[in-house]
Amino acid sequence: MPAQPFQQDPSVPPSCVVEVTGVPEKVASTEPVQSVRTPIRMEYTYTPGRALSDYLVAMKDKKIIAERCPETGQVFVPPRGVSPVAGVVTAGKVELPATGYVESFNITRVPIATRPDLEPPYCSAWILLDGASISFMGLVINCEPESVKLGTRVRAVWKPDDELEMAATNILGWEPTGEPDVEIPDIERIGQKGDLE
Amino acid sequence: MREIAIVSFAQRQEPAITSESEVEFMVPLMQQAKEAVGLRQQDMGFTCSGSSDFLAGQAFSFVMTIDGTGPVPPISESHVEQDGAWALYEAWVKLQCGDVDTAFVYSYGKSSPGSLRDVLATQMDPYYVAPLWPDAFSIEGLAARMLLESGKVSERQLAEIASRSREHASSNPHAVRNTPKSVEEILAEEFVADPLRPSDIPASADGGCAMVLAAGDRARELCDRPVWIRGIDHRIDSHTLGARDLTDAMSARIAAEKAGVGRDKIDFAELHAPFTTSEAVLTEALGLGDDVTINPSGGPLAAHTMMAAGHIRFGEAFERIARGDGDRAVVHATAGPVLQQNMVAVLEGE
């Protein structure tokens, strides 16, 4: 029996018979089951929480809000309300400039089916914002991906003012500023930075 | 076997926590449980947590909450996609192995962002049951109908359980359903899933709890009255609902025997019985007599924080014994539909 095409419509129930052997005569002509599809859809009202809400709300005004660990002084962005180093609640908002440098990057050459807006090759990077203790992820845009280096200075490229939302997607990407590259002296400590101010 | 005790506990349960993320509301609880015995994260030999991605609607959701422990530099840590009672069990095993003397266990769940009745359908077998998309209350309703028809319990007895839970809950600050209701008032309620009424079903809550365990003399150093886990066992019944007797809980029966429930007098029991029917079945399966106070906290009928409710039963029993309201208690946790998985423990004061 040829394989049946995969049923794409979740509202269509799967057929009901497994094997020809031992199947009652009245259903013997029914097609055997090739696969079972269990359509699952669940809806959630997502709550970002206190710290992340503040971060997203500030995004509407093109502001990047971080929070400081009261014990170590480290600055976390985006803030999640807690310092993973000290295990304590972060407090004291810090507004960071929308500039920083590339701490690590990767060039992707394969398209992603669910992201047609990302045309390969593109460059994704860990960007350390000026004043932050931890880098966060973004796309490096408005340049050849091959030109990106560790230490490339970048600044945020924002959506047009009339399209701004309370969302991290307000930052379309990060473009090189043209400033000299930052020298990263302690490259083996990337990801473990603990700049005390 | 090493002696292992619960030495501190902190909990929070509310109808819905909408302003804080899981890690934000867990950090104060984690700190409270540790500070109560003067420990810091680096003093913990092992850390284990229980939660569910399906409740959070997010893959690897537990990773965010680990931040709350202060996991840098790296800690010895594990997670179960289960009620925190199973995280406690994993910590208990780790302590039994003898290489650590302290363990930190926490669990949490927010079911308010989604439909818990539907989320629970995803734990059914994916071929025969899940495609029917059965909601959790309907399944329990089917089991409740079988229980009533078997003559093992009456609707009035179920209403008595519900009424007593509300009465006990009136002195529990963490209960979310604690308004008194008479048996007659409960019997007059409209059905949610016939024969189950609103008072028969769990009181949904958001929240979590945190707990410190310690072994032997380390436990005695940390608090005045450690509450020892004298026996603990967990068993599982068939995944297929039609393959087991839904009017009984065989796995709970076996776990109770292995944990040593019948070896001495029991003062009270904290049962993870989400439905009045579950409590009726468990009381019978665990062999608890009329002299045993069931769910002095009000139980899950008063506050049911998914993924922490079983763990909180250990905490409620700990607090009660630690302050001298009883010496020997049975604690129970469950998972899966209609008491499919069951854990039973016996706790005893120093």
Side-chain angles (χ1 to χ4, degrees), chain B residues 162-214:
Chain B
S163 181
R164 191 210 345 102
S165 159
R166 285 165 178 272
E167 193 186 314
H168 285 169
S170 63
S171 57
N172 178 359
H174 304 289
V176 303
R177 184 193 285 150
N178 55 9
T179 48
K181 234 178 188 184
S182 70
V183 172
E184 301 306 330
E185 282 174 300
I186 289 168
L187 286 170
E189 288 176 355
E190 298 269 342
F191 291 117
V192 176
D194 186 352
L196 296 174
R197 300 179 166 89
S199 293
D200 290 309
I201 65 173
S204 217
D206 288 357
C209 69
M211 179 181 274
V212 178
L213 303 180

Side-chain angles (χ1 to χ4, degrees), chain A residues 38 44-45 47 49-51 84-85 88, chain B residues 18-19 24 31 54-55 70-71 113 126:
Chain A
T38 303
Y44 297 86
T45 306
T47 313
R50 180 197 57 80
V85 178
V88 296
Chain B
T18 53
S19 56
E24 284 174 344
Q31 287 181 327
F54 282 77
L55 275 189

Side-chain angles (χ1 to χ4, degrees), chain A residues 64-146:
Chain A
I64 301 173
I65 299 293
E67 285 192 6
R68 192 187 299 278
C69 170
E71 287 192 14
T72 66
Q74 286 162 304
V75 174
F76 295 101
V77 62
R80 295 210 173 88
V82 64
S83 161
V85 178
V88 296
V89 174
T90 50
K93 292 193 202 327
V94 183
E95 187 182 338
L96 296 177
T99 54
Y101 66 84
V102 171
E103 204 178 46
S104 180
F105 69 92
N106 150 279
I107 299 171
T108 303
R109 301 175 194 280
V110 183
I112 302 174
T114 52
R115 290 293 302 273
D117 54 313
L118 283 179
E119 201 172 311
Y122 59 89
C123 176
S124 39
W126 285 110
I127 292 154
L128 188 69
L129 293 184
D130 297 329
S133 304
I134 190 168
S135 51
F136 75 144
M137 209 180 208
L139 293 172
V140 183
I141 59 173
N142 299 341
C143 66
E144 287 301 318
E146 279 77 7

